[in-house]
Amino acid sequence: VQLQASGGGLVQAGGSLRLSCTASRTFSSYAMGWFRQAPGKEREFVAVISRSGGSTDYADSVKGRFTISRDNTKNTMYLQMNSLKPEDTAVYYCAIRNVYGSRRSVDFGSWGQGTQLTVSS
């Protein structure tokens, strides 16, 4: 499966944006996740969603502000980001989770090209 993230851009602090991750073929068999990487920092976990979409998990830094969702009929996953902060600035990546329950980037694969989010203060 090939993944492509899109929807990034420049947003003012407090604003909202929705990212999309589109798969090249059906991905309903996979749990999916979002990660982000800021300049000079390691890639960090943001959120993950189960195959059906019925279960989600978030990093503490985004809990209550970000919402992960998916539409398996469209082979697309989303990340709705509200109340954005300058520290959310990063390149956002989507990936397939290969190890159940993991938040570690090494346990995810099929990384798509990222999409840049910049939040201005």
Side-chain angles (χ1 to χ4, degrees), residues 9-113:
L10 175 62
V11 183
Q12 287 190 333
S16 299
L17 203 65
R18 188 178 78 163
L19 304 182
S20 298
C21 173
T22 302
S24 59
R25 58 177 176 84
T26 183
F27 70 170
S28 58
S29 299
Y30 308 102
M32 305 287 297
W34 286 99
F35 284 74
R36 66 187 182 186
Q37 188 166 20
K41 295 188 177 182
E42 293 187 353
R43 191 169 297 188
E44 66 171 354
F45 169 79
V46 174
V48 67
I49 188 166
S50 63
R51 290 174 294 178
S52 68
S55 178
T56 57
D57 184 28
Y58 297 91
D60 288 344
S61 59
V62 306
K63 197 173 295 183
R65 300 188 298 121
F66 290 12
T67 302
I68 189 172
S69 63
R70 66 191 296 166
D71 184 342
N72 287 341
T73 66
K74 297 181 179 179
N75 296 331
T76 302
M77 176 179 66
Y78 304 98
L79 186 68
Q80 177 66 44
M81 305 180 293
N82 299 328
S83 303
L84 284 164
K85 305 175 181 179
E87 50 263 44
D88 294 319
T89 295
V91 177
Y92 283 72
Y93 298 90
C94 55
I96 290 173
R97 187 170 70 181
N98 295 319
V99 177
Y100 178 80
S102 176
R103 290 181 166 193
R104 303 191 310 159
S105 61
V106 294
D107 294 327
F108 286 73
S110 299
W111 296 91
Q113 288 187 335

